[in-house]
Amino acid sequence: QQAESETVYQLGALYARQDGRGPEAQTLYDRAIAARKTLVEAARGRPEDLRMLARFLNNQGILTSRRDAVEAEATFVEAASIQEGLLE
């Protein structure tokens, strides 16, 4: 599941850089984030999984900011919260 989430995330990142593929990228980011959240739960918050989840959320926020600033802000806040938790 870890490798799959990374691959799906990378494909989403590729689509995010291509004109007109934002909706596809969003779907892939959603899948990657859901898979990574499952990994975080299963591993009880392993730091590497949390770092990757924050990274996935950050990129999703960038993509989302093109169409919805409020949703993008919520995504960035979630990513920042995860990062802050890692510093404690």
Side-chain angles (χ1 to χ4, degrees):
Q1 194 172 27
Q2 186 171 353
E4 178 186 357
S5 71
E6 180 67 23
T7 301
V8 169
Y9 164 78
Q10 292 296 338
L11 185 57
L14 175 67
Y15 287 178
R17 293 187 297 273
Q18 297 175 357
D19 289 337
R21 297 198 86 173
E24 291 171 277
Q26 185 69 46
T27 298
L28 291 167
Y29 280 156
D30 289 344
R31 281 181 48 203
I33 288 167
R36 189 56 63 166
K37 284 182 176 181
T38 299
L39 287 168
V40 166
E41 288 177 17
R44 297 194 169 117
R46 193 177 80 167
E48 180 58 28
D49 291 328
L50 287 165
R51 274 192 286 282
M52 293 301 289
L53 176 58
R55 177 179 169 208
F56 291 6
L57 286 165
N58 185 63
N59 277 13
Q60 184 180 51
I62 293 167
L63 179 65
T64 303
S65 70
R66 297 179 191 166
R67 63 172 174 74
D68 188 335
V70 172
E71 185 179 338
E73 181 180 4
T75 303
F76 286 130
V77 167
E78 184 179 0
S81 175
I82 292 167
Q83 291 288 3
E84 288 170 6
L86 289 168
L87 296 175
E88 295 174 356

